[in-house]
Amino acid sequence: MRACRITPVELEGVEARERTELDRRAHHFRGDRPRISLAGRTAIVVDDGAATGSTARAACQVARAQGAAQVILALPVAPPDALAALRTEADNVVCLETPSWFFAVGQWYDDFRQTTDAEVVELLRLATESAAVPDPVTTEADPPARDEDVEVLAGRVPLGGHLTMPRDTAGLVVFAHGSGSSRHSPRNRHVARILNQAGLGTLLFDLLTPEEEIRRSLVFDIPLLAHRLVDTTAWLRTQPGCEHQRIGYFGASTGAAAALRAAADPRTDITAVVSRGGRPDLAGNRLPWVRTPTLLIVGSHDPLVLDLNREARTHLRCPSELTVVPGAGHLFEEPGTLDEAARLARDWFLTHLTTDQDRPRVR
């Protein structure tokens, strides 16, 4: 970027266009079919070959972040150095040919024409029809009474969201995502599913509009994000079935600061807060005003954020706990660490959002 003199504004424009294209292609390929959960499953990533291995590496990381228990990478051809790097990302790498002289993947094919989008769409349709295998995540509990995309009104600002209300909802958890994320965050969606299975309702929503997300300064505007969270909480209490529910906040990264700042606002009447890999220190002078029981979850391999959480906790006057997840980094991408964080959050919310009489039995 420095060599080409790329400005932050130009970078934001590129990112905005790429995100739009990503959403378009995801809808084009998947259609109305729901995303299949990878939680607890073996994910097999197949590539037509690897030169640098960057795309295969990204695919493995995404599968891991979405909760895959094991990731297997399958390749027909790759150079030895790229293959060695890929073995650090996947649990098992299967590669048929590893030539020492390697220029490009296409040189090892007689026909290297791209598969068309139409072919991909048709293959996915056929796979869906032939498989028809129930998703173990969604079959563990009764179907939710409400599971739908919603338009959240934060004051007068419309924001995209997704609301899930299990039958006999035991409380509601509103997610405040971190910088650069959205309601589509695979990590938060994975945590939300675990909360749903325990009878807790969830609302995942975008703290900023698509136009606002392009302005990177707003992503770190904690007062603005907290204000959106306060307004969204007020909107949620007007929704059918939500009027008398106890509400908690689940914040990640900078979203944790927004959650704590919003919890300190007397208008919200929040019952519990959980921060996962969060930055509670960014809530600043509002920390002593928080009266809501707060759980801080940090990975043991995230020393800087761990120190910031320890310091922030000294300013909290509410009941609080700091729990360190062994082997977890900042994004909880390591196998089993996100599940552990989700279980900790689930138990915290069940303890504080429900009474002994209405607390559901955890499956």
Side-chain angles (χ1 to χ4, degrees):
M1 287 178 61
R2 285 194 297 269
C4 297
R5 299 183 180 179
I6 304 297
T7 67
V9 174
E10 290 173 319
L11 179 62
E12 290 169 0
V14 171
E15 181 179 352
R17 290 194 297 272
E18 293 299 323
R19 285 185 181 276
T20 300
E21 175 63 10
L22 179 62
D23 290 339
R24 184 194 70 79
R25 291 178 67 84
H27 184 267
H28 178 60
F29 289 132
R30 191 182 302 126
D32 296 327
R33 295 186 300 272
R35 181 194 294 268
I36 297 175
S37 172
L38 297 183
R41 292 179 167 180
T42 296
I44 302 177
V45 178
V46 182
D47 203 345
D48 57 13
T52 64
S54 59
T55 53
R57 184 179 303 110
C60 292
Q61 291 172 351
V62 169
R64 188 84 71 190
Q66 292 186 4
Q70 185 180 27
V71 178
I72 298 174
L73 175 62
L75 303 159
V77 62
D81 55 344
L83 202 61
L86 289 170
R87 294 190 191 281
T88 66
E89 300 292 348
D91 298 293
N92 189 14
V93 178
V94 179
C95 186
L96 302 183
E97 298 287 347
T98 55
S100 56
W101 183 80
F102 194 101
F103 179 71
V105 173
Q107 76 184 99
W108 307 99
Y109 279 78
D110 290 330
D111 183 354
F112 197 56
R113 289 176 296 177
Q114 287 190 353
T115 306
T116 67
D117 285 2
E119 289 175 311
V120 174
V121 170
E122 178 63 10
L123 289 169
L124 289 173
R125 184 188 66 80
L126 292 173
T128 301
E129 292 178 354
S130 63
V133 177
D135 184 358
V137 172
T138 59
T139 56
E140 288 181 1
D142 294 332
R146 187 175 179 184
D147 188 19
E148 59 187 347
D149 290 329
V150 294
E151 183 180 74
V152 175
L153 285 178
R156 296 183 178 180
V157 180
L159 301 168
H162 190 90
L163 178 63
T164 302
M165 296 280 290
R167 300 185 187 281
D168 301 322
T169 300
L172 278 168
V173 178
V174 180
F175 281 69
H177 58 73
S179 58
S181 188
S182 72
R183 70 184 186 278
H184 302 298
S185 162
R187 296 180 186 85
N188 282 347
R189 287 163 63 109
H190 180 70
V191 174
R193 282 192 293 270
I194 291 177
L195 299 185
N196 295 153
Q197 291 167 9
L200 294 164
T202 54
L203 173 66
L204 291 93
F205 77 104
D206 296 334
L207 287 164
L208 299 173
T209 66
E211 295 77 18
E212 290 172 335
E213 287 178 351
I214 299 175
R215 299 167 57 188
R216 295 295 296 174
S217 60
L218 297 182
V219 173
F220 300 94
D221 189 336
I222 304 301
L224 171 65
L225 302 182
H227 185 69
R228 291 281 169 85
L229 199 50
V230 171
D231 286 345
T232 296
T233 305
W235 170 87
L236 184 59
R237 292 192 187 280
T238 67
Q239 298 304 295
C242 304
E243 304 94 328
H244 306 296
Q245 294 286 346
R246 296 185 181 95
I247 295 178
Y249 288 155
F250 181 92
S253 190
T254 52
L260 285 167
R261 192 179 177 96
D265 192 308
R267 295 172 294 175
T268 57
D269 190 25
I270 297 303
T271 308
V273 174
V274 173
S275 162
R276 190 264 299 164
R279 290 292 308 277
D281 55 296
L282 296 179
N285 58 10
R286 297 301 177 92
L287 286 173
W289 294 87
V290 178
R291 296 293 181 265
T292 305
T294 299
L295 173 64
L296 307 175
I297 304 173
V298 187
S300 64
H301 292 174
D302 195 10
L304 176 59
V305 171
L306 180 56
D307 287 343
L308 292 172
N309 273 254
R310 285 170 173 155
E311 173 61 23
R313 191 183 175 211
T314 65
H315 299 283
L316 290 172
R317 299 293 178 263
C318 58
S320 65
E321 291 183 16
L322 172 61
T323 300
V324 179
V325 176
H330 182 62
L331 297 179
F332 289 76
E333 296 176 305
E334 297 75 13
T337 58
L338 185 60
D339 284 333
E340 176 62 19
R343 285 190 290 268
L344 290 167
R346 176 199 65 193
D347 293 347
W348 188 263
F349 285 128
L350 288 176
T351 298
H352 295 283
L353 296 185
T354 64
T355 63
D356 291 337
Q357 289 74 26
D358 59 12
R359 186 172 301 153
R361 179 173 59 86
V362 177
R363 297 175 183 269

